[in-house]
Amino acid sequence: MEIMFEFDNRPVKAQDGQTIAEALLSNGITTLRKTRNGAERGVYCAMGVCYECRAIVDGMPNTRTCMTPVTQGCKVQTQEDDRIEVDDEKR
Protein backbone atom coordinates (compact mmCIF):
# COMPACT_ATOMS: atom_id res chain seq x y z
CA MET A 1 0.00 0.00 0.00
CA GLU A 2 1.32 3.44 -0.89
CA ILE A 3 1.61 6.07 1.83
CA MET A 4 2.79 9.68 1.87
CA PHE A 5 5.15 11.51 4.21
CA GLU A 6 7.21 14.71 4.10
CA PHE A 7 10.92 15.25 3.70
CA ASP A 8 12.08 18.85 4.13
CA ASN A 9 8.49 20.01 3.55
CA ARG A 10 8.16 18.10 0.25
CA PRO A 11 5.73 15.21 -0.25
CA VAL A 12 7.36 11.80 -0.68
CA LYS A 13 5.79 8.46 -1.64
CA ALA A 14 6.61 5.29 0.26
CA GLN A 15 5.41 1.73 0.51
CA ASP A 16 3.90 0.54 3.77
CA GLY A 17 6.55 -1.51 5.60
CA GLN A 18 9.57 0.43 4.34
CA THR A 19 11.98 2.18 6.64
CA ILE A 20 12.35 5.92 6.20
CA ALA A 21 15.81 5.37 4.72
CA GLU A 22 14.47 2.87 2.15
CA ALA A 23 11.71 5.24 1.13
CA LEU A 24 14.07 8.19 0.75
CA LEU A 25 16.60 6.19 -1.25
CA SER A 26 13.90 4.85 -3.55
CA ASN A 27 12.95 8.49 -4.25
CA GLY A 28 16.54 9.49 -5.04
CA ILE A 29 17.14 11.31 -1.75
CA THR A 30 20.58 10.47 -0.39
CA THR A 31 21.51 13.28 2.03
CA LEU A 32 19.87 12.95 5.44
CA ARG A 33 22.13 15.10 7.58
CA LYS A 34 25.06 17.50 7.48
CA THR A 35 28.00 17.34 9.87
CA ARG A 36 29.22 20.30 11.89
CA ASN A 37 31.66 20.94 9.02
CA GLY A 38 28.87 20.85 6.42
CA ALA A 39 29.73 17.44 4.94
CA GLU A 40 26.70 15.54 3.67
CA ARG A 41 25.86 12.17 5.18
CA GLY A 42 23.30 9.50 4.33
CA VAL A 43 22.64 5.78 4.61
CA TYR A 44 25.84 3.76 5.06
CA CYS A 45 25.36 0.45 6.87
CA ALA A 46 21.55 0.31 6.71
CA MET A 47 21.39 -1.79 9.88
CA GLY A 48 21.58 0.74 12.71
CA VAL A 49 25.26 0.41 13.58
CA CYS A 50 26.95 3.49 12.08
CA TYR A 51 24.43 6.27 12.88
CA GLU A 52 25.15 8.04 9.56
CA CYS A 53 21.46 8.07 8.57
CA ARG A 54 20.29 10.23 11.47
CA ALA A 55 17.58 12.78 10.71
CA ILE A 56 14.90 14.72 12.54
CA VAL A 57 11.69 12.65 12.53
CA ASP A 58 8.51 14.24 13.86
CA GLY A 59 10.63 16.72 15.81
CA MET A 60 12.98 14.11 17.33
CA PRO A 61 16.65 14.62 16.33
CA ASN A 62 19.16 11.78 15.93
CA THR A 63 16.57 9.28 14.69
CA ARG A 64 18.19 6.39 12.80
CA THR A 65 16.14 6.34 9.62
CA CYS A 66 17.37 2.88 8.62
CA MET A 67 15.68 1.45 11.73
CA THR A 68 12.53 3.59 11.78
CA PRO A 69 9.45 2.53 9.79
CA VAL A 70 7.92 5.23 7.64
CA THR A 71 4.40 6.18 8.69
CA GLN A 72 1.61 8.04 6.95
CA GLY A 73 2.13 11.77 7.34
CA CYS A 74 5.38 11.66 9.28
CA LYS A 75 7.64 14.69 8.91
CA VAL A 76 11.33 14.10 8.26
CA GLN A 77 13.90 16.88 8.10
CA THR A 78 17.56 17.00 7.17
CA GLN A 79 19.53 17.15 10.39
CA GLU A 80 22.21 19.81 10.56
CA ASP A 81 24.53 18.70 13.36
CA ASP A 82 25.79 22.22 14.07
CA ARG A 83 22.24 23.13 15.12
CA ILE A 84 21.72 20.13 17.42
CA GLU A 85 22.74 20.67 21.04
CA VAL A 86 24.82 17.86 22.47
CA ASP A 87 25.58 17.33 26.15
CA ASP A 88 29.14 15.99 25.88
CA GLU A 89 29.13 14.93 29.54
CA LYS A 90 26.46 12.31 28.77
CA ARG A 91 28.43 10.73 25.92
mmCIF file of all heavy atoms in Angstrom, residues 36-86:
data_model
loop_
_atom_site.group_PDB
_atom_site.id
_atom_site.type_symbol
_atom_site.label_atom_id
_atom_site.label_comp_id
_atom_site.label_asym_id
_atom_site.label_seq_id
_atom_site.Cartn_x
_atom_site.Cartn_y
_atom_site.Cartn_z
ATOM 1 N N ARG A 36 28.882 18.956 11.416
ATOM 2 C CA ARG A 36 29.215 20.305 11.892
ATOM 3 C C ARG A 36 30.071 21.063 10.877
ATOM 4 O O ARG A 36 30.062 22.281 10.849
ATOM 5 C CB ARG A 36 29.944 20.225 13.231
ATOM 6 C CG ARG A 36 29.057 19.711 14.339
ATOM 7 C CD ARG A 36 29.789 19.725 15.679
ATOM 8 N NE ARG A 36 29.024 19.063 16.699
ATOM 9 C CZ ARG A 36 28.067 19.634 17.411
ATOM 10 N NH1 ARG A 36 27.764 20.877 17.194
ATOM 11 N NH2 ARG A 36 27.409 18.950 18.327
ATOM 12 N N ASN A 37 30.812 20.320 10.049
ATOM 13 C CA ASN A 37 31.656 20.942 9.023
ATOM 14 C C ASN A 37 30.926 21.105 7.694
ATOM 15 O O ASN A 37 31.513 21.532 6.714
ATOM 16 C CB ASN A 37 32.925 20.123 8.809
ATOM 17 C CG ASN A 37 33.789 20.070 10.051
ATOM 18 O OD1 ASN A 37 33.855 21.037 10.795
ATOM 19 N ND2 ASN A 37 34.435 18.945 10.282
ATOM 20 N N GLY A 38 29.664 20.702 7.629
ATOM 21 C CA GLY A 38 28.870 20.852 6.416
ATOM 22 C C GLY A 38 28.935 19.684 5.447
ATOM 23 O O GLY A 38 28.338 19.737 4.374
ATOM 24 N N ALA A 39 29.648 18.610 5.813
ATOM 25 C CA ALA A 39 29.730 17.436 4.944
ATOM 26 C C ALA A 39 28.396 16.697 4.944
ATOM 27 O O ALA A 39 27.771 16.538 5.993
ATOM 28 C CB ALA A 39 30.850 16.505 5.410
ATOM 29 N N GLU A 40 27.977 16.260 3.777
ATOM 30 C CA GLU A 40 26.699 15.544 3.666
ATOM 31 C C GLU A 40 26.861 14.080 4.052
ATOM 32 O O GLU A 40 27.863 13.449 3.724
ATOM 33 C CB GLU A 40 26.175 15.658 2.236
ATOM 34 C CG GLU A 40 25.848 17.087 1.861
ATOM 35 C CD GLU A 40 25.318 17.221 0.445
ATOM 36 O OE1 GLU A 40 25.447 16.274 -0.361
ATOM 37 O OE2 GLU A 40 24.781 18.297 0.141
ATOM 38 N N ARG A 41 25.866 13.564 4.746
ATOM 39 C CA ARG A 41 25.855 12.167 5.178
ATOM 40 C C ARG A 41 24.516 11.543 4.824
ATOM 41 O O ARG A 41 23.497 12.217 4.746
ATOM 42 C CB ARG A 41 26.076 12.049 6.688
ATOM 43 C CG ARG A 41 27.422 12.525 7.153
ATOM 44 C CD ARG A 41 28.491 11.524 6.741
ATOM 45 N NE ARG A 41 29.746 11.801 7.382
ATOM 46 C CZ ARG A 41 30.777 12.394 6.779
ATOM 47 N NH1 ARG A 41 30.676 12.800 5.549
ATOM 48 N NH2 ARG A 41 31.911 12.577 7.427
ATOM 49 N N GLY A 42 24.522 10.222 4.657
ATOM 50 C CA GLY A 42 23.303 9.501 4.333
ATOM 51 C C GLY A 42 23.392 8.075 4.834
ATOM 52 O O GLY A 42 24.147 7.773 5.759
ATOM 53 N N VAL A 43 22.667 7.191 4.201
ATOM 54 C CA VAL A 43 22.643 5.784 4.609
ATOM 55 C C VAL A 43 23.997 5.148 4.291
ATOM 56 O O VAL A 43 24.518 5.295 3.193
ATOM 57 C CB VAL A 43 21.515 5.026 3.886
ATOM 58 C CG1 VAL A 43 21.500 3.570 4.298
ATOM 59 C CG2 VAL A 43 20.176 5.685 4.173
ATOM 60 N N TYR A 44 24.556 4.439 5.262
ATOM 61 C CA TYR A 44 25.840 3.765 5.058
ATOM 62 C C TYR A 44 25.698 2.269 5.314
ATOM 63 O O TYR A 44 25.778 1.478 4.408
ATOM 64 C CB TYR A 44 26.909 4.388 5.943
ATOM 65 C CG TYR A 44 28.280 3.810 5.734
ATOM 66 C CD1 TYR A 44 28.989 4.075 4.569
ATOM 67 C CD2 TYR A 44 28.874 2.995 6.689
ATOM 68 C CE1 TYR A 44 30.250 3.547 4.362
ATOM 69 C CE2 TYR A 44 30.122 2.461 6.495
ATOM 70 C CZ TYR A 44 30.817 2.731 5.336
ATOM 71 O OH TYR A 44 32.061 2.209 5.142
ATOM 72 N N CYS A 45 25.431 1.884 6.555
ATOM 73 C CA CYS A 45 25.364 0.450 6.870
ATOM 74 C C CYS A 45 23.962 -0.125 6.691
ATOM 75 O O CYS A 45 23.813 -1.319 6.452
ATOM 76 C CB CYS A 45 25.868 0.182 8.283
ATOM 77 S SG CYS A 45 24.722 0.679 9.588
ATOM 78 N N ALA A 46 22.954 0.703 6.848
ATOM 79 C CA ALA A 46 21.546 0.309 6.707
ATOM 80 C C ALA A 46 21.100 -0.755 7.709
ATOM 81 O O ALA A 46 20.130 -1.473 7.464
ATOM 82 C CB ALA A 46 21.244 -0.136 5.283
ATOM 83 N N MET A 47 21.815 -0.839 8.854
ATOM 84 C CA MET A 47 21.390 -1.791 9.880
ATOM 85 C C MET A 47 21.540 -1.234 11.292
ATOM 86 O O MET A 47 21.584 -1.975 12.260
ATOM 87 C CB MET A 47 22.138 -3.115 9.737
ATOM 88 C CG MET A 47 23.613 -3.030 9.855
ATOM 89 S SD MET A 47 24.322 -4.661 9.574
ATOM 90 C CE MET A 47 26.020 -4.323 9.958
ATOM 91 N N GLY A 48 21.619 0.104 11.406
ATOM 92 C CA GLY A 48 21.585 0.737 12.709
ATOM 93 C C GLY A 48 22.877 0.810 13.482
ATOM 94 O O GLY A 48 22.880 1.216 14.638
ATOM 95 N N VAL A 49 23.994 0.446 12.863
ATOM 96 C CA VAL A 49 25.260 0.412 13.576
ATOM 97 C C VAL A 49 26.029 1.729 13.476
ATOM 98 O O VAL A 49 26.575 2.207 14.459
ATOM 99 C CB VAL A 49 26.143 -0.748 13.051
ATOM 100 C CG1 VAL A 49 27.512 -0.742 13.697
ATOM 101 C CG2 VAL A 49 25.456 -2.074 13.288
ATOM 102 N N CYS A 50 26.043 2.365 12.315
ATOM 103 C CA CYS A 50 26.953 3.492 12.084
ATOM 104 C C CYS A 50 26.379 4.866 12.441
ATOM 105 O O CYS A 50 27.136 5.812 12.586
ATOM 106 C CB CYS A 50 27.415 3.505 10.631
ATOM 107 S SG CYS A 50 26.149 4.026 9.444
ATOM 108 N N TYR A 51 25.092 5.005 12.534
ATOM 109 C CA TYR A 51 24.426 6.267 12.877
ATOM 110 C C TYR A 51 24.583 7.370 11.826
ATOM 111 O O TYR A 51 24.343 8.523 12.104
ATOM 112 C CB TYR A 51 24.896 6.792 14.243
ATOM 113 C CG TYR A 51 24.384 5.991 15.409
ATOM 114 C CD1 TYR A 51 24.934 4.765 15.723
ATOM 115 C CD2 TYR A 51 23.347 6.463 16.183
ATOM 116 C CE1 TYR A 51 24.462 4.020 16.788
ATOM 117 C CE2 TYR A 51 22.862 5.732 17.260
ATOM 118 C CZ TYR A 51 23.436 4.499 17.561
ATOM 119 O OH TYR A 51 22.971 3.776 18.609
ATOM 120 N N GLU A 52 24.992 7.030 10.622
ATOM 121 C CA GLU A 52 25.154 8.036 9.565
ATOM 122 C C GLU A 52 23.813 8.518 9.022
ATOM 123 O O GLU A 52 23.722 9.601 8.472
ATOM 124 C CB GLU A 52 26.010 7.491 8.419
ATOM 125 C CG GLU A 52 27.460 7.303 8.772
ATOM 126 C CD GLU A 52 28.170 8.613 9.090
ATOM 127 O OE1 GLU A 52 27.962 9.610 8.379
ATOM 128 O OE2 GLU A 52 28.945 8.640 10.053
ATOM 129 N N CYS A 53 22.766 7.742 9.165
ATOM 130 C CA CYS A 53 21.462 8.066 8.569
ATOM 131 C C CYS A 53 20.551 8.863 9.493
ATOM 132 O O CYS A 53 19.348 8.942 9.255
ATOM 133 C CB CYS A 53 20.760 6.783 8.146
ATOM 134 S SG CYS A 53 20.268 5.751 9.557
ATOM 135 N N ARG A 54 21.111 9.483 10.520
ATOM 136 C CA ARG A 54 20.286 10.229 11.469
ATOM 137 C C ARG A 54 19.602 11.417 10.803
ATOM 138 O O ARG A 54 20.191 12.094 9.964
ATOM 139 C CB ARG A 54 21.128 10.738 12.634
ATOM 140 C CG ARG A 54 21.596 9.642 13.547
ATOM 141 C CD ARG A 54 22.520 10.172 14.618
ATOM 142 N NE ARG A 54 23.804 10.516 13.990
ATOM 143 C CZ ARG A 54 24.550 11.540 14.372
ATOM 144 N NH1 ARG A 54 24.167 12.344 15.349
ATOM 145 N NH2 ARG A 54 25.690 11.789 13.774
ATOM 146 N N ALA A 55 18.361 11.645 11.191
ATOM 147 C CA ALA A 55 17.581 12.780 10.710
ATOM 148 C C ALA A 55 16.613 13.179 11.814
ATOM 149 O O ALA A 55 16.496 12.494 12.844
ATOM 150 C CB ALA A 55 16.821 12.421 9.438
ATOM 151 N N ILE A 56 15.922 14.276 11.600
ATOM 152 C CA ILE A 56 14.897 14.718 12.542
ATOM 153 C C ILE A 56 13.566 14.141 12.073
ATOM 154 O O ILE A 56 13.128 14.423 10.956
ATOM 155 C CB ILE A 56 14.831 16.252 12.605
ATOM 156 C CG1 ILE A 56 16.182 16.820 13.036
ATOM 157 C CG2 ILE A 56 13.721 16.695 13.560
ATOM 158 C CD1 ILE A 56 16.308 18.316 12.871
ATOM 159 N N VAL A 57 12.948 13.305 12.883
ATOM 160 C CA VAL A 57 11.686 12.653 12.527
ATOM 161 C C VAL A 57 10.619 13.081 13.523
ATOM 162 O O VAL A 57 10.761 12.841 14.726
ATOM 163 C CB VAL A 57 11.825 11.117 12.506
ATOM 164 C CG1 VAL A 57 10.494 10.456 12.176
ATOM 165 C CG2 VAL A 57 12.901 10.690 11.512
ATOM 166 N N ASP A 58 9.592 13.722 13.018
ATOM 167 C CA ASP A 58 8.509 14.239 13.862
ATOM 168 C C ASP A 58 9.052 15.021 15.061
ATOM 169 O O ASP A 58 8.606 14.869 16.200
ATOM 170 C CB ASP A 58 7.580 13.113 14.321
ATOM 171 C CG ASP A 58 6.776 12.534 13.168
ATOM 172 O OD1 ASP A 58 6.480 13.278 12.201
ATOM 173 O OD2 ASP A 58 6.439 11.342 13.215
ATOM 174 N N GLY A 59 10.061 15.853 14.790
ATOM 175 C CA GLY A 59 10.629 16.723 15.808
ATOM 176 C C GLY A 59 11.711 16.102 16.668
ATOM 177 O O GLY A 59 12.315 16.778 17.491
ATOM 178 N N MET A 60 11.990 14.808 16.512
ATOM 179 C CA MET A 60 12.976 14.107 17.333
ATOM 180 C C MET A 60 14.299 13.984 16.574
ATOM 181 O O MET A 60 14.392 13.245 15.598
ATOM 182 C CB MET A 60 12.469 12.714 17.688
ATOM 183 C CG MET A 60 13.442 11.911 18.524
ATOM 184 S SD MET A 60 13.673 12.545 20.183
ATOM 185 C CE MET A 60 12.104 12.182 20.910
ATOM 186 N N PRO A 61 15.353 14.719 17.009
ATOM 187 C CA PRO A 61 16.647 14.617 16.326
ATOM 188 C C PRO A 61 17.316 13.276 16.597
ATOM 189 O O PRO A 61 16.935 12.542 17.508
ATOM 190 C CB PRO A 61 17.458 15.768 16.926
ATOM 191 C CG PRO A 61 16.826 16.038 18.243
ATOM 192 C CD PRO A 61 15.375 15.665 18.117
ATOM 193 N N ASN A 62 18.322 12.979 15.782
ATOM 194 C CA ASN A 62 19.156 11.782 15.929
ATOM 195 C C ASN A 62 18.389 10.476 15.762
ATOM 196 O O ASN A 62 18.765 9.452 16.334
ATOM 197 C CB ASN A 62 19.910 11.796 17.267
ATOM 198 C CG ASN A 62 20.879 12.940 17.347
ATOM 199 O OD1 ASN A 62 21.587 13.236 16.392
ATOM 200 N ND2 ASN A 62 20.895 13.621 18.479
ATOM 201 N N THR A 63 17.336 10.500 14.969
ATOM 202 C CA THR A 63 16.573 9.278 14.695
ATOM 203 C C THR A 63 17.271 8.503 13.581
ATOM 204 O O THR A 63 17.546 9.047 12.514
ATOM 205 C CB THR A 63 15.139 9.624 14.262
ATOM 206 O OG1 THR A 63 14.518 10.389 15.297
ATOM 207 C CG2 THR A 63 14.328 8.372 13.992
ATOM 208 N N ARG A 64 17.559 7.231 13.831
ATOM 209 C CA ARG A 64 18.189 6.394 12.803
ATOM 210 C C ARG A 64 17.109 5.987 11.795
ATOM 211 O O ARG A 64 16.251 5.159 12.091
ATOM 212 C CB ARG A 64 18.829 5.162 13.431
ATOM 213 C CG ARG A 64 20.060 5.513 14.245
ATOM 214 C CD ARG A 64 20.667 4.301 14.873
ATOM 215 N NE ARG A 64 19.788 3.837 15.947
ATOM 216 C CZ ARG A 64 19.945 2.701 16.608
ATOM 217 N NH1 ARG A 64 20.942 1.894 16.319
ATOM 218 N NH2 ARG A 64 19.114 2.363 17.565
ATOM 219 N N THR A 65 17.179 6.567 10.616
ATOM 220 C CA THR A 65 16.135 6.340 9.618
ATOM 221 C C THR A 65 16.175 4.935 9.034
ATOM 222 O O THR A 65 15.164 4.469 8.518
ATOM 223 C CB THR A 65 16.218 7.372 8.481
ATOM 224 O OG1 THR A 65 17.487 7.256 7.819
ATOM 225 C CG2 THR A 65 16.025 8.781 9.010
ATOM 226 N N CYS A 66 17.297 4.254 9.148
ATOM 227 C CA CYS A 66 17.366 2.885 8.625
ATOM 228 C C CYS A 66 16.662 1.891 9.545
ATOM 229 O O CYS A 66 16.404 0.757 9.146
ATOM 230 C CB CYS A 66 18.815 2.455 8.388
ATOM 231 S SG CYS A 66 19.762 2.163 9.899
ATOM 232 N N MET A 67 16.343 2.323 10.762
ATOM 233 C CA MET A 67 15.682 1.452 11.732
ATOM 234 C C MET A 67 14.246 1.884 12.025
ATOM 235 O O MET A 67 13.540 1.213 12.759
ATOM 236 C CB MET A 67 16.469 1.451 13.053
ATOM 237 C CG MET A 67 17.913 1.023 12.928
ATOM 238 S SD MET A 67 18.104 -0.671 12.365
ATOM 239 C CE MET A 67 17.454 -1.556 13.749
ATOM 240 N N THR A 68 13.827 3.013 11.446
ATOM 241 C CA THR A 68 12.529 3.588 11.780
ATOM 242 C C THR A 68 11.545 3.396 10.630
ATOM 243 O O THR A 68 11.804 3.878 9.515
ATOM 244 C CB THR A 68 12.680 5.098 12.078
ATOM 245 O OG1 THR A 68 13.675 5.260 13.103
ATOM 246 C CG2 THR A 68 11.368 5.703 12.525
ATOM 247 N N PRO A 69 10.442 2.710 10.860
ATOM 248 C CA PRO A 69 9.452 2.530 9.791
ATOM 249 C C PRO A 69 8.827 3.868 9.392
ATOM 250 O O PRO A 69 8.589 4.727 10.237
ATOM 251 C CB PRO A 69 8.381 1.631 10.423
ATOM 252 C CG PRO A 69 9.019 1.037 11.633
ATOM 253 C CD PRO A 69 10.056 2.019 12.087
ATOM 254 N N VAL A 70 8.604 4.026 8.112
ATOM 255 C CA VAL A 70 7.921 5.227 7.640
ATOM 256 C C VAL A 70 6.437 5.087 7.979
ATOM 257 O O VAL A 70 5.882 3.993 7.941
ATOM 258 C CB VAL A 70 8.146 5.437 6.118
ATOM 259 C CG1 VAL A 70 7.487 4.372 5.284
ATOM 260 C CG2 VAL A 70 7.704 6.819 5.688
ATOM 261 N N THR A 71 5.829 6.195 8.369
ATOM 262 C CA THR A 71 4.401 6.182 8.690
ATOM 263 C C THR A 71 3.701 7.282 7.916
ATOM 264 O O THR A 71 4.306 8.290 7.548
ATOM 265 C CB THR A 71 4.158 6.396 10.198
ATOM 266 O OG1 THR A 71 4.755 7.623 10.610
ATOM 267 C CG2 THR A 71 4.728 5.243 11.018
ATOM 268 N N GLN A 72 2.421 7.062 7.669
ATOM 269 C CA GLN A 72 1.611 8.039 6.949
ATOM 270 C C GLN A 72 1.708 9.409 7.621
ATOM 271 O O GLN A 72 1.472 9.535 8.820
ATOM 272 C CB GLN A 72 0.155 7.575 6.901
ATOM 273 C CG GLN A 72 -0.797 8.541 6.246
ATOM 274 C CD GLN A 72 -0.573 8.676 4.747
ATOM 275 O OE1 GLN A 72 -0.231 7.724 4.072
ATOM 276 N NE2 GLN A 72 -0.770 9.870 4.230
ATOM 277 N N GLY A 73 2.118 10.413 6.849
ATOM 278 C CA GLY A 73 2.130 11.773 7.341
ATOM 279 C C GLY A 73 3.300 12.172 8.221
ATOM 280 O O GLY A 73 3.333 13.304 8.717
ATOM 281 N N CYS A 74 4.256 11.269 8.432
ATOM 282 C CA CYS A 74 5.381 11.662 9.279
ATOM 283 C C CYS A 74 6.187 12.766 8.595
ATOM 284 O O CYS A 74 6.174 12.911 7.379
ATOM 285 C CB CYS A 74 6.254 10.478 9.666
ATOM 286 S SG CYS A 74 7.314 9.810 8.395
ATOM 287 N N LYS A 75 6.872 13.556 9.411
ATOM 288 C CA LYS A 75 7.640 14.689 8.907
ATOM 289 C C LYS A 75 9.116 14.455 9.212
ATOM 290 O O LYS A 75 9.509 14.351 10.374
ATOM 291 C CB LYS A 75 7.164 15.984 9.539
ATOM 292 C CG LYS A 75 5.725 16.327 9.160
ATOM 293 C CD LYS A 75 5.275 17.616 9.802
ATOM 294 C CE LYS A 75 3.813 17.936 9.609
ATOM 295 N NZ LYS A 75 3.180 17.556 8.407
ATOM 296 N N VAL A 76 9.903 14.360 8.145
ATOM 297 C CA VAL A 76 11.330 14.097 8.257
ATOM 298 C C VAL A 76 12.076 15.326 7.751
ATOM 299 O O VAL A 76 11.706 15.898 6.732
ATOM 300 C CB VAL A 76 11.727 12.846 7.436
ATOM 301 C CG1 VAL A 76 13.212 12.544 7.592
ATOM 302 C CG2 VAL A 76 10.881 11.645 7.834
ATOM 303 N N GLN A 77 13.106 15.721 8.490
ATOM 304 C CA GLN A 77 13.900 16.880 8.103
ATOM 305 C C GLN A 77 15.379 16.525 8.095
ATOM 306 O O GLN A 77 15.839 15.739 8.930
ATOM 307 C CB GLN A 77 13.700 18.028 9.083
ATOM 308 C CG GLN A 77 12.300 18.588 9.096
ATOM 309 C CD GLN A 77 12.169 19.616 10.194
ATOM 310 O OE1 GLN A 77 12.117 19.256 11.361
ATOM 311 N NE2 GLN A 77 12.137 20.886 9.817
ATOM 312 N N THR A 78 16.111 17.134 7.159
ATOM 313 C CA THR A 78 17.561 17.004 7.165
ATOM 314 C C THR A 78 18.075 17.514 8.506
ATOM 315 O O THR A 78 17.669 18.572 8.967
ATOM 316 C CB THR A 78 18.190 17.840 6.030
ATOM 317 O OG1 THR A 78 17.691 17.365 4.782
ATOM 318 C CG2 THR A 78 19.701 17.741 6.048
ATOM 319 N N GLN A 79 18.960 16.743 9.111
ATOM 320 C CA GLN A 79 19.529 17.148 10.394
ATOM 321 C C GLN A 79 20.845 17.870 10.131
ATOM 322 O O GLN A 79 21.718 17.338 9.461
ATOM 323 C CB GLN A 79 19.767 15.924 11.279
ATOM 324 C CG GLN A 79 20.391 16.275 12.611
ATOM 325 C CD GLN A 79 20.352 15.127 13.573
ATOM 326 O OE1 GLN A 79 19.307 14.534 13.798
ATOM 327 N NE2 GLN A 79 21.498 14.813 14.148
ATOM 328 N N GLU A 80 20.964 19.056 10.645
ATOM 329 C CA GLU A 80 22.212 19.807 10.559
ATOM 330 C C GLU A 80 22.854 19.759 11.935
ATOM 331 O O GLU A 80 22.380 20.387 12.879
ATOM 332 C CB GLU A 80 21.943 21.233 10.092
ATOM 333 C CG GLU A 80 21.381 21.255 8.678
ATOM 334 C CD GLU A 80 21.197 22.649 8.126
ATOM 335 O OE1 GLU A 80 21.964 23.556 8.527
ATOM 336 O OE2 GLU A 80 20.306 22.818 7.295
ATOM 337 N N ASP A 81 23.941 18.975 12.047
ATOM 338 C CA ASP A 81 24.531 18.696 13.357
ATOM 339 C C ASP A 81 25.005 19.943 14.090
ATOM 340 O O ASP A 81 25.044 19.962 15.317
ATOM 341 C CB ASP A 81 25.680 17.701 13.227
ATOM 342 C CG ASP A 81 25.189 16.289 12.942
ATOM 343 O OD1 ASP A 81 23.974 16.038 13.083
ATOM 344 O OD2 ASP A 81 26.012 15.437 12.581
ATOM 345 N N ASP A 82 25.349 21.013 13.376
ATOM 346 C CA ASP A 82 25.791 22.216 14.070
ATOM 347 C C ASP A 82 24.640 22.937 14.759
ATOM 348 O O ASP A 82 24.854 23.830 15.565
ATOM 349 C CB ASP A 82 26.528 23.173 13.126
ATOM 350 C CG ASP A 82 25.644 23.713 12.006
ATOM 351 O OD1 ASP A 82 24.611 23.091 11.681
ATOM 352 O OD2 ASP A 82 26.005 24.760 11.441
ATOM 353 N N ARG A 83 23.402 22.526 14.463
ATOM 354 C CA ARG A 83 22.237 23.131 15.116
ATOM 355 C C ARG A 83 21.655 22.253 16.222
ATOM 356 O O ARG A 83 20.715 22.647 16.883
ATOM 357 C CB ARG A 83 21.143 23.410 14.083
ATOM 358 C CG ARG A 83 21.565 24.439 13.073
ATOM 359 C CD ARG A 83 20.468 24.704 12.110
ATOM 360 N NE ARG A 83 20.931 25.652 11.117
ATOM 361 C CZ ARG A 83 20.138 26.441 10.443
ATOM 362 N NH1 ARG A 83 18.838 26.393 10.624
ATOM 363 N NH2 ARG A 83 20.625 27.268 9.554
ATOM 364 N N ILE A 84 22.198 21.067 16.403
ATOM 365 C CA ILE A 84 21.723 20.133 17.423
ATOM 366 C C ILE A 84 22.603 20.291 18.656
ATOM 367 O O ILE A 84 23.825 20.175 18.580
ATOM 368 C CB ILE A 84 21.787 18.668 16.926
ATOM 369 C CG1 ILE A 84 20.972 18.484 15.657
ATOM 370 C CG2 ILE A 84 21.358 17.698 18.013
ATOM 371 C CD1 ILE A 84 19.491 18.686 15.819
ATOM 372 N N GLU A 85 21.979 20.553 19.789
ATOM 373 C CA GLU A 85 22.740 20.674 21.036
ATOM 374 C C GLU A 85 23.096 19.295 21.551
ATOM 375 O O GLU A 85 22.254 18.399 21.590
ATOM 376 C CB GLU A 85 21.933 21.428 22.079
ATOM 377 C CG GLU A 85 21.695 22.885 21.727
ATOM 378 C CD GLU A 85 20.954 23.624 22.819
ATOM 379 O OE1 GLU A 85 21.003 23.180 23.980
ATOM 380 O OE2 GLU A 85 20.354 24.649 22.493
ATOM 381 N N VAL A 86 24.342 19.132 21.949
ATOM 382 C CA VAL A 86 24.821 17.855 22.465
ATOM 383 C C VAL A 86 25.411 18.089 23.851
ATOM 384 O O VAL A 86 26.221 18.988 24.045
ATOM 385 C CB VAL A 86 25.889 17.241 21.533
ATOM 386 C CG1 VAL A 86 26.449 15.964 22.143
ATOM 387 C CG2 VAL A 86 25.326 16.986 20.164
#
